[in-house]
Amino acid sequence: MTTHEKLIALLDQHHARYRLMEHEATGKCEAVAANRGTEVGQGAKALVCHVKGKGIKQHVLAILPADQQADLSKVAEAVGGRRASLASPAEVDALTGCVFGAIPPFSFHPDLKLVVDPLLFERYEEIAFNAGLLEKSVVLKVEDYRALHSGNVVKIIC
């Protein structure tokens, strides 16, 4: 199954309230928000990171509002590491089955630990994100994402 298929199956299995939409393929947060008709801050930005140090070697999927910047030292601390860096395109593909910009805010890989910034739950009733493909997005009720994400909720923004 593709990441897109896994995502839709997860949402449907749990009766999540969401809308699936097709739009022009773009990896830019502002452009995709305009295509979706949503605010940039509703976007769930997904960053695949390497965390190392203190005996930790872990890949992390960091999820934060698209109008914010991740603090990589906070991402590292969230899993007990010392430093974090962004993963390569090849690693992103291997861990998510997606290209940059298409990664949904769910981990479907056992080696990819999910960390979510709490601000994502605080400002809007819905979040929006690419659905494993650059040309498809999901707009999902925040309370359904909160129930389904299975990640650690930790402040990771600057």
Side-chain angles (χ1 to χ4, degrees):
M1 283 176 80
T2 67
T3 299
H4 174 76
E5 292 166 337
K6 290 175 188 174
L7 172 67
I8 299 305
L10 174 71
L11 297 176
D12 288 345
Q13 175 186 354
H14 293 279
H15 307 289
R17 292 161 295 164
Y18 73 95
R19 298 185 310 277
L20 180 63
M21 51 181 51
E22 291 192 33
H23 50 74
E24 184 179 329
T26 179
K28 302 286 183 202
C29 297
E30 294 80 10
V32 77
N35 288 344
R36 293 177 186 138
T38 59
E39 299 290 324
V40 175
Q42 284 181 269
K45 179 167 41 176
L47 302 174
V48 179
C49 303
H50 281 290
V51 174
K52 295 180 182 172
K54 298 183 185 176
I56 300 289
K57 285 186 88 173
Q58 176 72 56
H59 282 98
V60 174
L61 181 59
I63 308 298
L64 60 149
D67 62 348
Q68 303 293 313
Q69 294 297 315
D71 180 332
L72 293 181
S73 65
K74 289 180 182 177
V75 172
E77 289 170 15
V79 296
R82 181 169 290 137
R83 62 191 172 284
S85 60
L86 295 178
S88 71
E91 290 170 310
V92 169
D93 181 56
L95 292 165
T96 69
C98 301
V99 297
F100 283 120
I103 305 164
F106 294 93
S107 175
F108 297 105
H109 194 289
D111 295 334
L112 188 60
K113 185 176 182 97
L114 187 68
V115 175
V116 182
D117 190 275
L119 186 61
L120 196 65
F121 303 117
E122 297 170 4
R123 300 187 293 167
Y124 299 97
E125 289 184 18
E126 296 178 318
I127 59 170
F129 50 88
N130 279 58
L133 302 164
L134 288 174
E135 67 278 2
K136 292 192 184 204
S137 287
V138 165
V139 179
L140 175 66
K141 291 286 187 186
V142 166
E143 61 190 72
D144 290 339
Y145 179 64
R146 184 189 305 269
L148 293 175
H149 71 77
S150 72
N152 292 338
V153 179
V154 181
K155 184 171 170 44
I156 56 171
I157 58 175
C158 296

